[in-house]
């Protein structure tokens, strides 16, 4: 990237350094100089609707909007004087015209920017009025909108458009009668909760939270997302042992809907059951394998690893194991233990390729970053997948459809296209040149002209990103696929993100020496075993959920982030069992400083981990993993021929709001695990809308109601897995499979 020119400006008599292209407001904030704003939101482009950020620039007539005005070298700027104060005071008077005096019952009271600025600019009376109009409250599902409270700052519209990409909100202009309009009310987007989170007044609020508590009565407990794998910041807001809502640092960061609304997963009313604990110890003494889900902390994963080292258990966590093998093969080519991309780099990209992930549902924070790149940088986005996704149609500039099971050929074609003019080692060039492009194109169903169009779209672009997902990790040829992906990173200069499976799969894959096959008797941890430890409240011994314990998770940004106790738990924890079996730690978080440094973790105490953002939005949460060098092995193989999957095809994919049995416990999120199929799928499988159907995957029986989804094309159906309880962790196969119907 080009290094920006340094500039110097003077703000209120203080010399301030910045870089060419920064706004006056950005430089002022960097130097701790306060300029008031109402509509400004760091994570979106300047809105410039409120005029509160006006400043004076020496030699320039009139007031200047500091949020959008680029700083010029040598500029002398004044942010506070009598004229500016009067201007801002008049703006506040306009905001307060006919604003309902509902502070006593308004959900925003106590954290309302209108209240704060009214006090700041000394408005004790209103000396003019405007004729009011009737504006009824609207219920939009997850959020409610009160137009009479709205100050038209447009933050919610920008979040809906630039961040979440649901594009549901727009301004309906009408002078004093202007309102925010929901143009997609039938969709009932949970992502509107993110739009509500940035509302500075009480106009847009969570329907579930409305009129339930005053903001100042809630205790705020900072933590990290336990669901989607992004590890983004969240804050549990608690009163009298109950979570009322989940919020975040909405000025800078974005939260998935599962965290915002899927917080009702505590294992409640648990006490220590001595007899069950003793049975658990006996089960561990007789077991040969421990099966566990990826919904555990880094510290719990380390405890299981230490028990393996002491007793020789086989550790089984299917999704984390597939990811572990993929990343180990990837590292042999890249030479580093971690992929080189992150969400910030992704959002700054001008060209993005997504392969092997239904990214809108698999990884919302990744989708948000792609949407941001599209809206801010006009990024070219190529989406490669067997299923077209209407949810991302507004940001995808090229959709390339390929056949299920042909991913190795897809990545080979992609590598050949992107590395064609690059300087690569001779042995790699030989493999790429020997590829039978015509045969692979026929097998994948990708036309050579599609690849040429992709290559052409990348011309004159910079900051390239490649996003790969779960469809690749469980593929029979995953390790060769991983090596070819790493070649693209290494020689085509792509930032790569290999999306970890949801939960804490990345942490588990780095910490645990995982096995492929189960042997002997089993203990299950949030998974079914001969003896089951469960945070779901349905096993042989209760365990705490991730909302009831301290520890850390590993995020998609390769950051180790803290989780904290939001709700009490009275039972035994894994550390109690470990101590009984010969380990020695007073608390689970004693293992935080013992996380393996040879895998990139740092020997730091849990209580020293930060969890905040600075005023500029720089993340200061936990710590970044260190990159570890890996011995190189750049040998790759040609793709092998595959038979493909004929007939009606099932694709295991959860909806965006759900990731695991823990989100399935939510009373707010919809819990309708339908088998959603295309009309062609319905015909091929002889199903009608509303039919009940039973089928088996990985020896797990699914019972589903079939619904036709007209947006789907091809003989394919989406099958959710989040509602399968402790059986979910037993699923291990490739995500696509042929429907073998066994009954109705």
């Amino acid at each position: 990237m080009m290094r920006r020119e340094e500039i110097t400006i003077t703000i209120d008599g203080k010399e301030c350094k910045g870089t060419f292209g920064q706004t006056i407001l950005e430089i002022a904030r960097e130097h701790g100089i306060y300029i008031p704003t109402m509509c400004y939101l760091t994570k979106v482009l300047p809105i410039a609707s409120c005029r509160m950020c006006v400043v004076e620039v020496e030699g320039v007539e009139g007031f200047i909007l500091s949020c959008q005005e680029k700083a010029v070298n040598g500029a002398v700027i004044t942010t506070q004087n009598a004229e500016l104060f009067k201007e801002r005071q008049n703006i506040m008077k306009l905001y307060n015209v006919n604003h309902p005096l509902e502070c006593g019952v308004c959900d925003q009271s106590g954290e309302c920017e209108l209240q704060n600025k009214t006090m700041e600019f000394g408005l004790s009376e209103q000396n003019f009025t405007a004729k009011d109009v009737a504006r009824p409250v609207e219920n939009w599902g997850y959020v409610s909108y009160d137009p009479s409270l709205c100050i038209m700052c447009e933050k919610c519209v920008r979040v809906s458009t630039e961040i979440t990409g649901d594009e549901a909100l727009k301004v309906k202009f009408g002078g004093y009668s202007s309102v925010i309009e929901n143009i997609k009310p039938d969709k009932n987007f949970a992502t509107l909760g993110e739009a509500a989170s940035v509302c500075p007044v009480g106009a847009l609020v969570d329907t579930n939270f409305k009129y339930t508590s005053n903001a100042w009565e809630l205790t705020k407990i900072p933590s990290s997302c336990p669901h989607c794998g992004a590890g983004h910041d969240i804050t549990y807001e608690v009163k009298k042992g109950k979570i009322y809502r989940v919020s975040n640092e909405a000025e800078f960061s974005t939260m998935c809907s599962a965290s915002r609304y899927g917080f009702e997963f505590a294992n409640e009313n648990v006490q220590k059951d001595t007899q069950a604990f003793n049975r658990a110890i006996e089960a561990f003494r007789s077991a040969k394998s421990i099966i566990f889900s990826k919904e555990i902390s880094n510290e719990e994963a380390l405890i299981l690893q230490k028990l393996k080292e002491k007793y020789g258990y086989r550790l089984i966590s299917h999704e984390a194991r597939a990811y572990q093998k993929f990343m180990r093969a990837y590292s042999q080519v890249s030479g580093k233990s971690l992929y080189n991309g992150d969400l910030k780099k992704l959002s700054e990209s001008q060209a993005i390729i997504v392969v092997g992930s239904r990214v809108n549902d698999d990884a919302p924070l990744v989708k948000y970053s792609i949407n941001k790149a599209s809206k801010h940088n006009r990024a070219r986005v190529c989406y490669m997948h067997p299923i077209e996704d209407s949810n991302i149609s507004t940001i995808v500039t090229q959709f390339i459809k390929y056949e299920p099971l042909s991913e190795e050929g897809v990545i080979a074609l992609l590598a050949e296209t992107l590395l064609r003019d690059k300087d690569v080692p001779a042995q790699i060039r030989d493999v790429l040149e020997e590829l039978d492009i015509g045969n692979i194109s026929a097998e994948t169903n990708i036309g050579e002209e599609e690849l040429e169009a992709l290559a052409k779209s990348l011309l004159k672009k910079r900051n390239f990103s490649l996003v790969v997902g779960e469809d690749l990790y469980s593929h029979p040829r995953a390790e060769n696929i991983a090596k070819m992906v790493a070649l693209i990173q290494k020689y085509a200069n792509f930032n790569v993100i290999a999306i970890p499976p949801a939960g804490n799969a990345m942490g588990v894959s780095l910490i645990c020496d995982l096995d492929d096959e189960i042997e002997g008797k089993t203990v299950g941890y949030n998974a079914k075993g001969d003896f089951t430890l469960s945070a779901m409240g349905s096993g042989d011994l209760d365990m705490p959920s991730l909302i009831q314990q301290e520890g850390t998770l590993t995020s998609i940004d390769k950051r180790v982030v803290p989780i904290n106790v939001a709700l009490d738990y009275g039972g035994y924890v894994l550390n109690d069992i470990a101590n009984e079996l010969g380990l020695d730690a007073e608390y689970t978080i004693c293992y935080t400083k013992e996380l393996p440094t040879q895998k990139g973790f740092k020997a730091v105490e849990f209580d020293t981990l930060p969890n905040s953002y600075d005023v500029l939005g720089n993340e200061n949460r936990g710590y970044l993993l260190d990159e570890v060098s890996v011995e190189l092995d750049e040998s790759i193989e040609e793709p092998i021929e595959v038979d493909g999957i004929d007939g009606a095809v099932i694709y295991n994919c959860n909806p965006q709001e759900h990731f695991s049995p823990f989100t399935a416990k939510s009373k707010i999120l919809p819990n309708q695990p339908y088998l959603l199929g295309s009309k062609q799928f319905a015909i091929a499988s002889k199903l009608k809308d509303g039919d009940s159907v039973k089928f088996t995957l990985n020896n797990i029986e699914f019972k589903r109601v079939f619904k036709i989804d007209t947006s789907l094309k091809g003989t394919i159906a989406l099958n959710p897995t989040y509602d399968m309880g402790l059986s979910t962790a037993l699923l291990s196969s490739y995500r696509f499979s042929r429907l073998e119907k066994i009954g109705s």
Side-chain angles (χ1 to χ4, degrees):
M1 292 180 63
M2 293 178 62
R3 187 171 182 175
R4 284 181 161 182
E5 174 190 348
E6 185 178 271
I7 62 174
T8 302
I9 63 176
T10 302
I11 306 178
D12 295 340
K14 180 179 179 180
E15 187 177 280
C16 302
K17 300 288 186 182
T19 55
F20 181 77
Q22 282 189 299
T23 64
I24 295 170
L25 179 61
E26 287 172 332
I27 296 177
R29 286 188 171 187
E30 279 188 358
H31 291 82
I33 298 171
Y34 171 68
I35 299 175
T37 65
M38 283 290 282
C39 74
Y40 188 76
L41 190 61
T42 303
K43 64 187 179 184
V44 303
L45 297 174
I47 301 170
S49 69
C50 75
R51 297 189 59 84
M52 288 292 290
C53 70
V54 289
V55 297
E56 290 183 343
V57 179
E58 190 174 285
V60 179
E61 187 175 345
F63 296 137
I64 299 296
L65 296 180
S66 65
C67 70
Q68 66 176 14
E69 188 68 26
K70 299 292 192 295
V72 177
N73 191 43
V76 178
I77 296 155
T78 300
T79 71
Q80 308 290 338
N81 61 28
E83 290 78 13
L84 288 166
F85 185 88
K86 186 68 174 179
E87 174 74 6
R88 292 163 182 161
Q89 192 177 57
N90 288 335
I91 290 168
M92 290 309 303
K93 287 179 180 179
L94 290 171
Y95 276 139
N96 281 312
V97 169
N98 292 337
H99 193 89
L101 294 175
E102 299 176 357
C103 298
V105 294
C106 180
D107 288 299
Q108 200 73 9
S109 186
E111 51 187 15
C112 173
E113 281 301 299
L114 196 66
Q115 284 180 339
N116 294 342
K117 295 295 191 300
T118 297
M119 298 291 289
E120 180 180 344
F121 294 102
L123 269 68
S124 58
E125 60 183 14
Q126 187 76 26
N127 54 10
F128 61 90
T129 62
K131 185 177 180 179
D132 209 352
V133 294
R135 287 178 276 194
V137 175
E138 299 179 31
N139 188 321
W140 294 342
Y142 287 98
V143 301
S144 300
Y145 176 59
D146 187 342
S148 66
L149 294 172
C150 183
I151 63 171
M152 298 302 295
C153 68
E154 301 182 39
K155 286 182 177 181
C156 60
V157 175
R158 291 301 191 90
V159 165
S160 175
T161 303
E162 297 178 28
I163 304 298
T164 63
D166 54 50
E167 301 188 5
L169 304 182
K170 73 172 186 178
V171 177
K172 184 178 181 181
F173 291 102
Y176 182 69
S177 300
S178 296
V179 293
I180 303 299
E181 185 178 21
N182 183 357
I183 61 174
K184 300 178 181 179
D186 56 312
K187 296 289 188 180
N188 192 21
F189 287 118
T191 48
L192 288 181
E194 189 64 27
S197 72
V198 302
C199 181
V201 291
L204 200 59
V205 298
D206 276 332
T207 305
N208 181 69
F209 176 74
K210 195 173 184 179
Y211 301 144
T212 60
S213 177
N214 293 309
W216 59 84
E217 297 175 316
L218 300 170
T219 300
K220 295 190 175 186
I221 300 170
S223 194
S224 303
C225 174
H227 298 309
C228 74
H232 53 80
D233 75 285
I234 62 174
T235 298
Y236 296 113
E237 301 198 29
V238 183
K239 182 172 73 174
K240 296 180 180 178
K242 176 185 175 182
I243 296 174
Y244 277 70
R245 65 179 175 182
V246 180
S247 58
N248 66 319
E249 291 284 355
E251 175 75 20
F252 312 117
S253 67
T254 305
M255 176 166 40
C256 73
S257 299
S259 279
R260 189 176 298 282
Y261 299 117
F263 53 80
E264 299 164 301
F265 62 97
N267 195 5
E268 298 177 310
N269 303 316
V270 176
Q271 296 180 337
K272 290 188 175 180
D273 184 336
T274 305
Q275 291 184 339
F277 179 78
N278 291 335
R279 289 195 295 271
I281 299 302
E282 289 305 313
F284 270 91
R285 295 193 190 283
S286 61
K288 295 292 184 183
S289 300
I290 301 173
I291 312 168
F292 62 104
S293 78
K294 55 198 180 339
E295 283 78 33
I296 67 171
S297 68
N298 290 326
E299 290 74 14
E300 290 175 303
L302 182 57
I303 288 172
L304 295 179
Q305 175 63 22
K306 286 181 175 293
L307 290 175
K308 171 175 183 160
E309 293 167 1
K310 188 174 182 69
Y311 294 104
Y313 297 120
R314 299 180 72 80
L315 295 185
I316 309 296
S317 186
H318 293 301
E319 288 179 277
R321 174 58 172 159
Y323 187 71
Q324 182 181 71
K325 292 166 73 173
F326 185 91
M327 286 307 302
R328 284 179 179 175
Y330 178 95
S331 299
Q332 289 176 336
V333 171
S334 70
K336 300 293 183 182
S337 57
L338 306 168
Y339 50 77
N340 66 335
D342 57 42
L343 296 181
K344 188 174 188 296
K345 291 178 182 176
L346 183 60
S347 68
E348 294 172 347
S349 299
Q350 292 186 355
I352 299 168
I353 302 172
V354 182
V355 189
S357 172
R358 190 172 172 86
V359 69
N360 182 74
D361 299 323
D362 292 346
L365 271 290
V366 174
K367 182 271 182 102
Y368 299 162
S369 295
I370 296 172
N371 182 67
K372 192 172 180 179
S374 173
K375 299 299 192 296
H376 291 189
N377 309 327
R378 297 183 180 180
R380 300 286 302 181
V381 180
C382 177
Y383 181 58
M384 306 179 74
H385 201 267
I387 310 170
E388 191 168 3
D389 188 354
S390 60
N391 291 304
I392 58 174
S393 59
T394 59
I395 59 174
V396 170
T397 54
Q398 183 181 11
F399 171 60
I400 298 179
K401 182 181 186 297
Y402 59 81
E403 295 301 313
L405 261 184
S406 71
E407 284 85 354
E408 186 183 23
V410 172
I411 297 298
L413 290 174
L414 195 58
E416 194 279 332
T417 300
L418 298 176
L419 299 175
R420 189 176 299 158
D421 301 320
K422 305 299 180 184
D423 184 17
V424 300
Q427 71 273 18
I428 295 171
R429 174 63 58 204
D430 290 344
V431 173
L432 295 177
E433 289 180 349
E434 289 174 9
L435 292 175
D436 187 339
I437 300 298
N439 186 56
I440 297 174
S441 293
E443 191 174 79
T444 60
N445 202 28
I446 295 177
E448 293 181 50
E449 69 281 358
E450 292 180 282
L451 296 170
E452 293 306 317
L454 171 59
K456 187 177 180 180
S457 73
L458 302 182
L459 296 175
K460 298 182 181 179
K461 295 291 184 179
R462 55 185 174 83
N463 298 344
F464 305 112
S465 287
L466 172 62
V467 177
V468 298
E470 282 189 73
D471 297 0
L472 307 185
Y473 311 150
S474 54
H475 190 280
R477 297 278 291 175
E479 291 171 81
N480 198 46
I481 292 172
K483 286 190 168 187
M484 288 190 284
V485 170
L487 289 176
I488 294 171
Q489 174 200 310
K490 192 171 184 177
Y491 295 107
N493 197 28
F494 270 70
N495 296 308
V496 172
I497 293 180
I499 302 172
N504 191 32
M506 177 179 278
V508 170
S509 70
L510 290 170
I511 293 164
C512 294
D513 180 13
L514 298 170
D515 298 286
D516 294 314
E517 302 294 334
I518 299 170
E519 285 186 4
K521 289 186 177 181
T522 61
V523 169
Y525 189 15
N526 292 331
K528 282 188 177 179
D530 294 320
F531 188 94
T532 301
L533 313 174
S534 174
M536 298 288 295
S538 56
D540 298 305
L541 179 67
D542 284 301
M543 289 281 112
S545 69
L546 289 175
I547 211 168
Q548 297 170 292
Q549 56 178 302
E550 291 180 309
T552 60
L553 305 172
T554 307
S555 79
I556 195 170
D557 274 345
K558 302 161 289 185
R559 184 178 289 274
V560 179
V561 292
I563 56 174
N564 290 296
V565 176
L567 297 176
D568 292 337
Y569 172 77
Y572 289 102
V573 300
L574 185 61
N575 188 52
D576 295 323
I577 294 172
N579 287 342
E580 189 70 21
L581 293 172
L583 301 187
D584 184 18
E586 184 176 3
Y587 303 109
T588 302
I589 56 171
C590 292
Y591 288 104
T592 304
K593 64 180 181 296
E594 296 185 27
L595 294 171
T597 55
Q598 70 274 21
K599 298 297 181 65
F601 293 90
K602 297 177 181 176
V604 297
E605 299 276 356
F606 175 82
D607 289 334
T608 66
L609 294 174
N611 196 2
S612 63
Y613 290 82
D614 67 19
V615 70
L616 303 176
N618 296 312
E619 189 171 8
N620 186 27
R621 301 175 56 241
Y623 62 83
L624 289 170
L625 289 167
D626 291 328
E627 278 194 331
V628 177
S629 295
V630 176
E631 186 175 347
L632 290 177
D633 176 9
E634 291 187 323
S635 60
I636 60 170
E637 301 173 1
E638 290 187 49
I640 64 171
E641 291 189 16
V642 294
D643 293 332
I645 304 174
D646 297 325
V649 177
I650 295 275
Y651 180 57
N652 287 338
C653 179
N654 288 320
Q656 188 185 74
E657 297 83 10
H658 283 289
F659 292 97
S660 73
F662 294 100
T663 59
K665 295 178 72 173
S666 170
K667 298 181 182 68
I668 304 173
L669 293 172
N671 193 352
Q672 299 171 319
Y674 296 126
L675 180 66
L676 297 176
S678 65
K679 289 182 178 179
Q680 299 96 313
F681 181 93
I683 294 169
S685 56
K686 299 179 180 179
L687 289 172
K688 299 189 298 296
D689 194 81
D691 281 355
S692 296
V693 61
K694 292 192 295 185
F695 54 93
T696 300
L697 300 173
N698 285 142
N699 297 317
I700 297 171
E701 185 178 277
F702 290 81
K703 297 178 181 179
R704 294 282 182 243
V705 172
F706 175 71
K707 291 286 185 180
I708 291 177
D709 185 337
T710 56
S711 70
L712 294 174
K713 299 174 184 178
T715 53
I716 203 152
L718 307 179
N719 176 51
T721 61
Y722 70 88
D723 65 316
M724 299 304 292
L726 300 176
S727 296
T728 300
L730 304 181
L731 289 167
S732 62
S733 68
Y734 178 65
R735 294 175 76 184
F736 292 93
S737 59
R738 179 185 172 90
L739 173 65
E740 301 292 348
K741 191 168 63 172
I742 62 172
S744 60

